[in-house]
Amino acid sequence: MTPRFFRFVSLSLFFALILAAIPRPVYAQAISSVNPTSIVNNIDNTITVSGTGFDNSAAVLLNGSALTTTVLNSQTLTATVPAGFAAGTYAITISMTSGTTTGPNLTVTAP
């Protein structure tokens, strides 16, 4: 092996260690909005939850019941509220492996 190769490897390892030591921001999960804020329970409804810090483990809960959830990105989730869900006003909760957070309310009404 040539001295150039060892110098290259040494510098590469040095830069890798430097980059690994740089702290990366960690965003706490937070819910900023739910859209729509009111639905009618005679059909399946898709709601969009916006916020920060969502990951692939995110699940939208409504009155403690997990809804079918799709993670679009770290700021947007969609969830399906099934037809026949009991009428009432419920706080939207996001459950993830890193914890849970509660946000705005969703109002479910009967037709």
Side-chain angles (χ1 to χ4, degrees):
M1 300 275 166
T2 66
R4 283 179 147 174
F5 177 76
F6 287 116
R7 190 175 328 148
F8 173 75
V9 170
S10 298
L11 285 174
S12 297
L13 289 174
F14 173 75
F15 285 120
L17 287 172
I18 294 298
L19 288 175
I22 296 173
R24 289 167 194 79
V26 176
Y27 299 104
Q29 66 221 36
I31 303 170
S32 57
S33 67
V34 60
N35 191 22
T37 58
S38 181
I39 59 172
V40 179
N41 68 357
N42 61 342
I43 60 169
D44 289 350
N45 289 275
T46 299
I47 60 171
T48 301
V49 180
S50 300
T52 58
F54 304 143
D55 65 23
N56 288 332
S57 71
V60 178
L61 305 176
L62 198 58
N63 197 32
S65 298
L67 304 177
T68 301
T69 304
T70 302
V71 179
L72 300 180
N73 55 48
S74 65
Q75 299 173 336
T76 310
L77 307 171
T78 61
T80 302
V81 181
F85 201 90
T89 299
Y90 305 99
I92 297 290
T93 300
I94 305 299
S95 176
M96 298 188 335
T97 54
S98 60
T100 61
T101 188
T102 302
N105 290 335
L106 174 69
T107 301
V108 179
T109 59

